[in-house]
Amino acid sequence: MLNKSYSNLILECGTDEAGRGCLAGPVTAAAILLPNNFELHLLNDSKQLSEKIREKLKPEIEAKAISFAVTHIFPNEIDEINIQNASLKAMQESILEIKPLPEYIIVDGNRPLNGKLGMKQKTGKIFTNEEIKILKSIPSTSIIKGDSKYLSIAAASVLAKTYRDEYMDKIHEEFPMYNWKRNKGYPTKEHREAIKKYGPCKYHRMSFRLLPEQLELEF
C-alpha cells in the first residue's frame, strides 16, 4: 500500500523522471497533484509494471489528478548540462506548469531538487528570476525509492514513462534501424550493434558512451 502524503499538506506534488540511462531520446519528467481521496488499483513504481498496465493507468491518472505536467529535455540540452542536471530541470519545468502551485514537493531519488537553478546555457528553457524564486520558495524532500512508497511519485513515474515511450515510438518511424519501438533508447545489445553499423543520429546523446571499447565507431 503506497502512502498518500509525506508532508500532510493538501497540495503536495510528486515528481519523477524516466529515460535517464538511455543512449537516445529525451529524459522525461512528470509532476502531479493528486486529490486526498485518490485511489488507483495496481498503481506502483512504473518499472514494476508491464507496458500494458502502464497504458491502462495513464488515462485514469490524468482523469483523477488535480493537475499534472510532463516535460521532455532533449539530447542537445542533455549534452550541454549533463544528464543529472537535465533530469532535475525536467522535473523543475514540470512543477512550474502545475496549477495551483504546490505547497510541497516530493521527489524520487537522493538529490535535492533545487541544487542548481539559473544555469547559463545555450539550449533549452532558461528560467526567469521569477521562476527561480517560485521553485526556491516551495519546500521539497528527496525520497530514495519514492516511486514505490508514495502515490504521487508513482503516478508521476507512470506518466513520465508512458509519455517518453510514446515519443520514442514516434521517432522510431524516422530511424527504424535502431528499433526504439522495442528498446526505447536504452543501451541494449541490439541498440549498440545498430549504432556500430549505422552510426549515431541526431537523437543520440553524444556525451554518453554509445559503444563499449570493443565496439568503437570508426570515422
Side-chain angles (χ1 to χ4, degrees), residues 73-87:
I73 300 287
F74 295 100
N76 58 341
E77 189 172 359
I78 293 171
D79 290 338
E80 182 179 0
I81 66 176
N82 81 46
I83 187 60
Q84 173 66 36
N85 290 329
S87 298

Side-chain angles (χ1 to χ4, degrees), residues 2 42-49 57 147-148 154-155 157-158:
L2 301 183
L42 296 179
L43 179 59
N44 203 339
D45 167 16
S46 64
K47 295 185 293 295
Q48 306 301 319
L49 304 174
L57 292 176
D147 47 8
S148 61
S157 77
V158 170

Side-chain angles (χ1 to χ4, degrees), residues 81-82 84-86 88-89 92 111-119 121 127 132 135-136:
I81 66 176
N82 81 46
Q84 173 66 36
N85 290 329
L88 293 172
K89 189 167 181 283
Q92 293 161 352
R111 302 275 182 166
L113 175 66
N114 295 325
K116 288 189 178 181
L117 284 169
M119 288 181 290
Q121 60 189 88
F127 291 133
I132 292 172
L135 287 167
K136 286 185 174 180

Side-chain angles (χ1 to χ4, degrees), residues 172-195:
H172 165 86
E173 301 303 321
E174 187 176 354
F175 291 95
M177 70 282 281
Y178 302 111
N179 203 9
W180 290 330
K181 194 172 184 67
R182 179 178 179 182
N183 62 54
K184 309 304 183 190
Y186 282 92
T188 62
K189 180 180 179 181
E190 172 192 46
H191 188 187
R192 281 188 152 142
E193 287 179 345
I195 295 171

Side-chain angles (χ1 to χ4, degrees), residues 23 63-64 104 112 156 164 192 208:
L23 303 179
K64 294 181 178 183
Y104 202 92
R164 186 181 185 281
R192 281 188 152 142
F208 277 47

Side-chain angles (χ1 to χ4, degrees), residues 140-180:
S140 64
T141 297
S142 300
I143 302 169
I144 296 173
K145 296 184 178 179
D147 47 8
S148 61
K149 297 175 181 177
Y150 290 91
L151 280 170
S152 61
I153 301 180
S157 77
V158 170
L159 293 185
K161 175 64 174 168
T162 53
Y163 273 86
R164 186 181 185 281
D165 284 357
E166 287 174 4
Y167 179 86
M168 296 307 294
D169 289 350
K170 179 180 177 181
I171 64 174
H172 165 86
E173 301 303 321
E174 187 176 354
F175 291 95
M177 70 282 281
Y178 302 111
N179 203 9
W180 290 330

